[in-house]
Amino acid sequence: MTGIGHLSSAFLVKSKFKDVPLWILLISTEVVELVWIVLNLNPFGFSPPLEFMKIELPFLYIGNMKLLSQQYSHSLVGGILIGIVFFFLLKSLKVSSATRYIAVALAASGHWFLDLLVHDHDLKLLPLSSAPIIGPIVSLDPSNPELGISAAAPLLGFAIQAILSAIGAYVFTKNFEFPAEHGKRNFIIGIIVLNLFSLPIFVKGMMTLVIRSEAWMAGIVFADMLFAAIVILYLSKTVIAKESSR
């Protein structure tokens, strides 16, 4: 699942915790991905790396990214621990008095459950190298049952992401008003466009010339989530919680 898929889950959490700043929830949904990027780039020179992936070249689509080791960032317990650390970091920096632990925890742990819908056989419950690997939740390729939906049926994986994103956006627009002229319309258009921007990695051959290495993949993942988060924050900067939904 790409950036917009995970970031959209922040809309659901924001609708229940209206006083928590949206930017905090957006980071919370992707904080484990940020850890994943750092561990895969391995700037500290760990040998062997704490986490690593393998990109099959030529890179054709999302199924050519193999997450060989990601037990710290993409295990359920690991994600919860990362969310706890992020929460206390926010508190220590006194970023916002409205920060709620449960809101950050829901957003951070939700990342793992969204990945479980579409990932290959590469997720764990515990952040241990010896922990059993689980998934995929649904296998569509009898010849390779370890492939998840995004690898076995990439366009279906994209559709699932788009549907979940649409649900998050719908709940958000039902709970918040957009005072700016055409604000709600622009927000909806923005979410649609962000989903379309994520489509190329699900279509075989569209990213072949862009992704040439594992480092490039990590960089693109970061750029994707950063761009999507900035667009979302810009389009929702004037929203006001509806009194009737409290």
Side-chain angles (χ1 to χ4, degrees):
M1 194 164 290
T2 65
I4 183 60
H6 287 296
L7 292 168
S8 294
S9 65
F11 300 143
L12 301 175
V13 182
K14 175 68 174 176
S15 297
K16 294 297 182 182
F17 300 89
K18 294 182 174 63
D19 56 337
V20 179
L22 181 59
W23 72 266
I24 288 178
L25 298 177
L26 289 172
I27 295 177
S28 298
T29 64
E30 289 283 41
V31 66
V32 299
E33 203 85 309
L34 293 171
V35 172
W36 176 85
I37 290 170
V38 172
L39 294 181
N40 274 267
L41 291 176
N42 195 21
F44 306 109
F46 291 111
S47 182
L50 296 180
E51 293 191 355
F52 53 91
M53 61 174 156
K54 177 65 178 178
I55 299 298
E56 298 176 355
L57 298 177
F59 182 87
L60 297 179
Y61 76 121
I62 194 169
N64 291 135
M65 178 175 63
K66 303 301 181 182
L67 304 174
L68 303 178
S69 175
Q70 56 171 358
Q71 67 267 19
Y72 301 109
S73 64
H74 280 69
S75 63
L76 177 58
V77 174
I80 293 173
L81 293 175
I82 291 171
I84 291 173
V85 172
F86 179 57
F87 170 77
F88 282 108
L89 176 63
L90 292 172
K91 283 298 188 181
S92 66
L93 296 176
K94 298 181 179 179
V95 172
S96 171
S97 59
T99 303
R100 301 284 182 267
Y101 168 71
I102 188 64
V104 172
L106 286 172
S109 60
H111 188 108
W112 187 88
F113 289 100
L114 290 175
D115 278 344
L116 182 62
L117 295 175
V118 296
H119 262 228
D120 293 344
H121 184 66
D122 55 22
L123 295 171
K124 296 187 176 185
L125 292 175
L126 301 173
L128 302 170
S129 58
S130 59
I133 302 173
I134 65 173
I137 193 171
V138 175
S139 178
L140 300 177
D141 187 347
S143 65
N144 193 348
E146 291 193 351
L147 293 182
I149 290 176
S150 287
L155 292 182
L156 177 57
F158 170 76
I160 291 173
Q161 170 176 290
I163 291 171
L164 292 174
S165 178
I167 292 172
Y170 172 77
V171 172
F172 188 73
T173 57
K174 294 294 287 185
N175 283 273
F176 291 88
E177 296 177 344
F178 293 74
E181 184 179 7
H182 306 309
K184 182 178 180 179
R185 182 200 66 182
N186 293 340
F187 176 79
I188 294 172
I189 292 174
I191 297 300
I192 294 173
V193 170
L194 288 174
N195 274 281
L196 291 177
F197 276 170
S198 72
L199 179 59
I201 201 169
F202 295 93
V203 179
K204 292 185 177 182
M206 291 192 69
M207 299 288 286
T208 300
L209 298 178
V210 179
I211 298 176
R212 300 294 190 90
S213 68
E214 289 77 15
W216 271 95
M217 173 59 82
I220 288 173
V221 169
F222 177 75
D224 171 60
M225 74 170 78
L226 179 62
F227 175 71
I230 290 174
V231 171
I232 289 170
L233 286 174
Y234 176 77
L235 294 175
S236 60
K237 61 182 179 180
T238 61
V239 298
I240 301 172
K242 292 181 179 179
E243 293 290 338
S244 59
S245 63
R246 289 180 178 176

